Amino acid sequence: MTPADRLAAAGLSLPDYGGLELGAVLPGALAAVGAGDAVAARDAEADRVRLGIPHADHAVVVLLDGLGHHQLDARRGHAPFLRSTESGIVTAGFPTTTATSLALFGTGRASGATGMTGYTAHNPATGEAANLVSWEGAGDPDDWQREPSLMRVAHEGGLAVASLGKRRFAGSGLTRAALAGGDFVGAERLSDRVDEAIQRARRPGLTYLYWGDIDAAGHKHGWQSDAWVAALEDVDQELRRLRARLPRHAAMVVTADHGMVDVTGAPRWDVGAVPELARGVRLVAGEPRALHLHMDDAAEAPAVAERWRGVLGDDAAVLLRDEAVGLGLFGPVSGHVEDRIGEVVVAMAGRATVVDSRTQSDQALGLIGVHGSLTPEELQVPLLVASEA
């Protein structure tokens, strides 16, 4: 079976890099406000046209953590504004996880260039797993992620740029790695971030607004829970208000970083309890839906891959590193990033997961909603474009 056949047999799809993808959103928005020259790695004007973002004096770009297209469609009655405004679907990159997606969004480059290869990733300098959300074990953000931040380049070129998020995100490793540049405004409530965006939209520039409560509710309660629906309803109400109060010649673009699947009752394996999975594997990085397996002896990778295929069967696509890179899962891979990708890469199918009780906390093991793989539910995210002419 070829690598492409393994992916297809698991019901998994490749990201649409260079097409309708998350990495086109910020370049397209910058082109819309006349700052497309800040994007050296891709054709920002082509991104703008492809995504249907109109020219504007100011663009407010909203990223809703955890809101997949399929989840929004399934709960359309609870989000009438978002559903009525959804203009298309874009794909996240691989893996479909926040650190990877924010870097794709912020640089226009996939994880093979940014090195943001998962929730956790192998740090070749230490041999251990680095957490790319908390930034524990990752070292200098500028060394780990070397692609230019589009917001920083645009700001240095004279564009008024602002990021709106939690106060504790100011200067964090992930912020520096993916979204550095311009003003950072800390605000805990979504309503306060919307108010700030409305004020900034009165002047030329670009404002980025991040909101994470949908993802948090999904992880803890599952995306089919009442808590998740309540978080969606809150967002729908506030973004309706943002749209209604946009000044003339301002545009609003809304997207997300990934979708989610609920895994209660689904197949689950624990590396710490299944000797066939643990044998030959020194480090398990990534997340339960997208794993990087690292070993002391790379020559053991084919045998490890065969053992994992034997255990997981149809519940995963198990690929050697060269196969995953050759398929384009990570986009073009830079030399300094290669060792952050596992010698074996595992993308889970359906709602199945692989955990590692030896290294993961009880809280992590107890998550109901998870993401990371390449099912439509995780890969496809909404695109919403609205403007005042």
Side-chain angles (χ1 to χ4, degrees):
M1 185 179 290
T2 69
D5 289 339
R6 294 187 191 281
L7 211 63
L12 308 179
S13 302
L14 290 170
D16 188 20
Y17 296 130
L20 297 174
E21 55 138 337
L22 182 60
V25 174
L26 187 57
L30 287 169
V33 298
D37 55 357
V39 186
R42 54 192 304 151
D43 187 337
E45 176 61 15
D47 287 331
R48 183 194 71 79
V49 172
R50 189 180 301 114
L51 300 183
I53 304 174
H55 290 292
D57 292 337
H58 193 106
V60 178
V61 185
V62 180
L63 191 142
L64 301 174
D65 197 327
L67 182 62
H69 162 74
H70 287 264
Q71 293 80 53
L72 176 58
D73 187 55
R75 296 293 181 265
R76 65 176 69 194
H78 296 274
F81 170 70
L82 293 176
R83 285 298 298 151
S84 67
T85 314
E86 187 178 23
S87 56
I89 302 169
V90 296
T91 68
F94 181 75
T96 51
T97 194
T98 298
T100 301
S101 289
L102 290 186
L104 174 62
F105 172 84
T107 68
R109 302 295 306 278
S111 58
T114 66
M116 305 290 280
T117 54
Y119 175 70
T120 64
H122 174 242
N123 185 343
T126 66
E128 303 299 326
N131 187 308
L132 300 186
V133 174
S134 69
W135 214 253
E136 183 179 357
D140 184 351
D142 294 328
D143 182 60
W144 186 282
Q145 200 300 97
R146 303 176 189 178
E147 297 297 315
S149 163
L150 300 182
M151 292 199 295
R152 173 185 286 160
V153 176
H155 177 67
E156 291 173 349
L159 185 71
V161 174
S163 297
L164 315 181
K166 285 188 175 182
R167 294 182 183 91
R168 66 184 177 87
F169 292 161
S172 72
L174 179 55
T175 297
R176 288 175 55 193
L179 298 160
D183 299 331
F184 186 96
V185 180
E188 303 307 300
R189 300 187 305 177
L190 178 56
S191 59
D192 291 337
R193 294 182 206 177
V194 168
D195 288 342
E196 181 70 22
I198 291 168
Q199 291 294 323
R200 288 182 176 268
R202 294 173 180 169
R203 303 179 298 276
L206 182 139
T207 299
Y208 161 66
L209 189 161
Y210 169 87
W211 187 246
D213 280 19
I214 293 174
D215 184 68
H219 281 309
K220 186 174 182 180
H221 304 287
W223 76 264
Q224 300 181 74
S225 66
D226 290 343
W228 190 92
V229 168
L232 176 65
E233 291 174 342
D234 290 344
V235 164
D236 193 71
Q237 178 179 338
E238 282 299 322
L239 294 189
R240 179 189 297 274
R241 183 169 70 89
L242 173 57
R243 167 68 175 82
R245 295 185 60 187
L246 274 180
R248 287 179 61 83
H249 307 298
M252 179 176 77
V253 182
V254 183
T255 191
D257 57 347
H258 55 74
M260 184 172 287
V261 295
D262 289 354
V263 297
T264 301
R268 181 169 103 159
W269 292 265
D270 181 356
V271 178
V274 182
E276 293 91 340
L277 297 182
R279 183 152 45 104
V281 177
R282 181 182 63 81
L283 176 70
V284 178
E287 44 233 296
R289 293 280 297 164
L291 302 100
H292 294 268
L293 310 181
H294 297 268
M295 45 221 68
D296 287 322
D297 184 359
E300 292 294 316
V304 169
E306 281 305 311
R307 284 197 293 272
W308 277 63
R309 289 177 189 133
V311 172
L312 303 183
D314 294 336
D315 286 305
V318 181
L319 305 170
L320 297 175
R321 177 195 286 163
D322 288 348
E323 294 174 329
V325 171
L327 279 175
L329 259 63
F330 306 96
V333 176
S334 300
H336 71 282
V337 172
E338 184 175 346
D339 287 344
R340 300 179 199 173
I341 298 171
E343 282 92 358
V344 175
V345 177
V346 182
M348 302 303 295
R351 297 184 299 116
T353 55
V354 175
V355 300
D356 189 349
S357 60
R358 302 170 302 177
T359 58
Q360 293 172 317
S361 67
D362 289 341
Q363 181 181 9
L365 294 172
L367 295 178
I368 295 174
V370 296
H371 47 80
S373 194
L374 292 165
T375 64
E377 291 79 7
E378 296 158 286
L379 184 64
Q380 296 179 2
V381 296
L383 177 72
L384 299 84
V385 179
S387 64
E388 290 291 343

